[in-house]
Amino acid sequence: MSDSASIMPEHPPVTDWVNDFDHTDPTWTENPFPIWEELRAASPVVHTERFLGCYMPTTYQAVKEIAYDTEHFSSRRVIVRDIRPEITARAPPITSDPPEHKPAKQLLLPPFTPDAMKKLEPRVRAICNELIDEFIADGKCDAAARYTKHVPVRAIAHMLGIPEKDGDLFIKWIHGILELGIKDDNALMEAVREMTGYFAAHLEQRKQNPTDDLISTLMKARDKDGNPLADEHVLGSLRLLLIAGIDTTWSAIGSSLWHLAKTPADRERLVKEPELMPLAVEELLRAYSPVTMAREVMKETTVSGCPVKSGNMVLLSFPAANRDPAMFPDADKVVIDRKENRHAAFGLGIHRCVGSNLARMEMTVAIEEWLKRIPDFRLDPAGKVTWSEGTVRGPRQLPMLFGKTN
Amino acid sequence: MAGKLKVRVDQDKCQGHARCKSLAPELFDLDEFGNAHEVGDGSVPEGLEDKAYLAQSNCPEIAIEVTEE
């Protein structure tokens, strides 16, 4: 259990965004887009004294420079938090820098190719329909709690070969790590400990009885010298897949449905022209990118002409990069058939999200199946949409009404 | 008449976003790690010129070259 001593003092409200930004401030959580615009107008790189010192690149160009520069910017810490404890639980390859990064990533890539995702797709389609069956007759639902959350949980459980019904545990750990953990170290450590114990038991089972799933694939993997991976490496990668594979996609599907609920023209167009889905998914990923990463500055350098000093963290906001009008005309508008779209929702450079093909497939299938069964829907004016805080942004309550308005 | 087009994926830049394969599967393919390469010698068959440019303009790593022969 968390004790109050481990919880950092509450953050004072932000009054000066340019010199004192805070991505955990309720104003940011509710609607970050005007804040990013203000920061971008001020400088390509801004700084806050919060989080023991942290920069934020505000333009696509500055985000790209940092993502490509693994010499000055380390991935050993990938979440901006109030504290910087000693690094204990690594999660390769996301927390790896060159030269360790490439071999760790190569091991994870083959199970996540588009072809591999095609094999998983029928199961995900069935999951979506099982979920919709549970609430469609009610004429309404909280789409975050009843739908968008469960699609990635069940899909990744299916891939890993662990029970889909353990999903509630996964969601609890992820909340502890990505949200509570920013300010409460005990909540984070407790979640990591429980998760590691859970996967260690699955590893032991498979040592006796090997299976045909992603956990066994990792256990059978050999490094370049032909040696099996240490249990600690396998456990780290499993923690990563679970943390990175769930609330990210949950958020992306949720933001997409939120947009479609309040934008009948886009919804009707997708129902009439389903062939637009691939472009639409990329545009929804651009406009509502869920994932903000972090780096730690290892050596002094400059980014887009701005000096950057070691000892600071960097809030690497791919979502803000994707709203930069210098890169995307009408950046704050969702153009559902945008043709030119080099968005960075899955990162840029060597840390490109290993699960990007999985996320795209889940988003596509989850939106398609929803639109087939529930072509007309809107936000429930009696309810309230709430958004997650911190590193991954998406709706956590998404009350919807089905059918046409009269 | 414009010349024939050729596409090429820069292997040092490609990070496996797979956008090209999704937009122009006739012109790009992926290896076992999901990284892209051009199909055959990269020659763009007639009628697929737009797809070549579409793939190029959606690559987040600017890894695709389109050249006119």
Side-chain angles (χ1 to χ4, degrees):
Chain A
M1 292 298 288
S2 307
D3 65 65
S4 56
S6 72
I7 301 175
M8 303 293 117
E10 276 301 304
H11 295 195
V14 175
T15 53
D16 175 2
W17 282 102
V18 172
N19 298 297
D20 188 35
F21 73 83
D22 186 331
H23 62 294
T24 67
D25 190 273
T27 313
W28 178 303
T29 301
E30 181 66 26
N31 184 16
F33 309 114
I35 299 172
W36 299 342
E37 206 178 318
E38 184 188 340
L39 299 182
R40 202 179 293 120
S43 176
V45 180
V46 293
H47 184 262
T48 183
E49 292 297 331
R50 298 181 189 221
F51 312 102
L52 307 175
C54 181
Y55 296 100
M56 176 182 163
T58 63
T59 63
Y60 188 96
Q61 177 60 31
V63 165
K64 182 171 166 168
E65 284 176 37
I66 293 171
Y68 281 181
D69 182 353
T70 54
E71 186 194 338
H72 296 91
F73 301 96
S74 170
S75 285
R76 60 185 201 160
R77 299 181 200 276
V78 286
I79 306 177
V80 171
R81 304 170 61 203
D82 280 351
I83 52 169
R84 285 185 219 155
E86 197 184 330
I87 295 161
T88 48
R90 290 183 177 81
I94 202 170
T95 57
S96 315
D97 294 312
E100 289 81 22
H101 171 267
K102 191 169 181 180
K105 183 151 185 184
Q106 297 274 54
L107 291 172
L108 290 183
L109 287 170
F112 288 96
T113 60
D115 281 349
M117 294 309 108
K118 267 187 205 131
K119 293 191 192 110
L120 183 64
E121 189 182 313
R123 176 66 202 131
V124 175
R125 241 173 245 288
I127 288 169
C128 291
N129 280 289
E130 288 161 21
L131 291 166
I132 295 171
D133 286 341
E134 287 172 18
F135 56 71
I136 190 166
D138 301 340
K140 62 177 190 174
C141 80
D142 178 343
R146 304 291 300 277
Y147 188 64
T148 63
K149 170 158 83 173
H150 300 288
V151 176
V153 167
R154 295 190 190 181
I156 198 92
H158 184 79
M159 267 188 96
L160 289 173
I162 54 184
E164 290 184 14
K165 66 172 172 47
D166 288 351
D168 287 344
L169 274 176
F170 310 156
I171 286 164
K172 189 186 85 174
W173 297 332
I174 289 163
H175 183 63
I177 291 169
L178 292 182
E179 294 200 66
L180 302 179
I182 291 177
K183 297 171 185 170
D184 180 352
D185 197 42
N186 279 357
L188 183 139
M189 295 312 291
E190 176 76 10
V192 170
R193 199 160 44 237
E194 280 185 28
M195 221 170 158
T196 306
Y198 175 89
F199 280 124
H202 278 284
L203 247 59
E204 285 310 314
Q205 276 177 21
R206 281 164 181 74
K207 282 178 185 165
Q208 312 303 321
N209 301 301
T211 49
D212 181 26
D213 54 38
L214 190 47
I215 296 182
S216 291
T217 302
L218 283 176
M219 292 172 68
K220 282 181 224 149
R222 295 291 177 269
D223 67 17
K224 61 177 177 9
D225 303 318
N227 299 314
L229 302 180
D231 279 4
E232 180 49 40
H233 186 127
V234 175
L235 289 170
S237 295
L238 290 170
R239 280 197 302 265
L240 165 63
L241 292 178
L242 203 66
I243 296 168
I246 293 184
D247 75 335
T248 49
T249 316
W250 167 14
S251 296
I253 300 169
S255 297
S256 301
L257 290 179
W258 171 78
H259 172 80
L260 294 174
K262 63 190 188 58
T263 320
D266 286 349
R267 193 172 69 229
E268 283 158 20
R269 206 162 161 215
L270 280 184
V271 170
K272 282 201 196 95
E273 302 171 61
E275 67 278 9
L276 282 181
M277 269 306 279
L279 291 180
V281 164
E282 300 303 331
E283 176 64 348
L284 292 164
L285 278 166
R286 181 195 69 81
Y288 304 111
S289 311
V291 181
T292 294
M293 290 299 301
R295 296 288 188 268
E296 187 172 358
V297 188
M298 307 308 284
K299 277 192 252 175
E300 193 168 324
T301 184
T302 56
V303 173
S304 292
C306 304
V308 166
K309 293 195 167 61
S310 60
N312 285 273
M313 290 295 293
V314 175
L315 188 70
L316 193 58
S317 177
F318 296 111
N322 285 339
R323 293 283 187 139
D324 181 355
M327 184 68 188
F328 304 98
D330 287 324
D332 275 332
K333 204 170 154 227
V334 173
V335 180
I336 206 77
D337 59 351
R338 191 181 287 269
K339 300 285 183 305
E340 190 170 323
N341 194 349
R342 299 181 200 267
H343 71 75
F346 295 112
L348 292 169
I350 63 167
H351 287 283
R352 188 269 301 172
C353 169
V354 83
S356 60
N357 299 308
L358 172 62
R360 283 198 173 93
M361 183 272 282
E362 288 179 26
M363 275 180 81
T364 305
V365 169
I367 299 169
E368 280 176 356
E369 295 307 306
W370 177 286
L371 287 176
K372 275 185 214 161
R373 306 274 306 268
I374 311 169
D376 288 302
F377 56 102
R378 58 197 185 277
L379 297 176
D380 183 349
K384 185 172 165 29
V385 177
T386 61
W387 298 83
S388 55
E389 178 185 300
T391 290
V392 179
R393 183 172 193 270
R396 291 297 175 265
Q397 286 181 68
L398 188 55
M400 302 270 207
L401 297 176
F402 309 156
K404 288 187 192 298
T405 41
N406 293 313
Chain B
M1 277 287 288
K4 283 197 75 143
L5 296 184
K6 253 192 168 178
V7 290
R8 197 181 75 84
V9 180
D10 184 332
Q11 296 300 313
D12 292 332
K13 290 186 180 171
C14 176
Q15 297 292 347
H17 292 262
R19 300 284 301 280
C20 55
K21 166 80 176 174
S22 154
L23 292 164
E26 304 89 341
L27 305 178
F28 300 95
D29 211 344
L30 305 176
D31 67 15
E32 61 166 318
F33 299 108
N35 292 322
H37 53 86
E38 58 277 7
V39 169
D41 71 350
S43 293
V44 177
E46 223 178 295
L48 293 179
E49 292 84 357
D50 287 354
K51 280 197 172 187
Y53 286 116
L54 186 66
Q56 182 189 36
S57 61
N58 278 280
C59 175
E61 311 287 348
I62 328 257
I64 297 174
E65 276 175 30
V66 183
T67 48
E68 214 171 295
E69 285 191 326

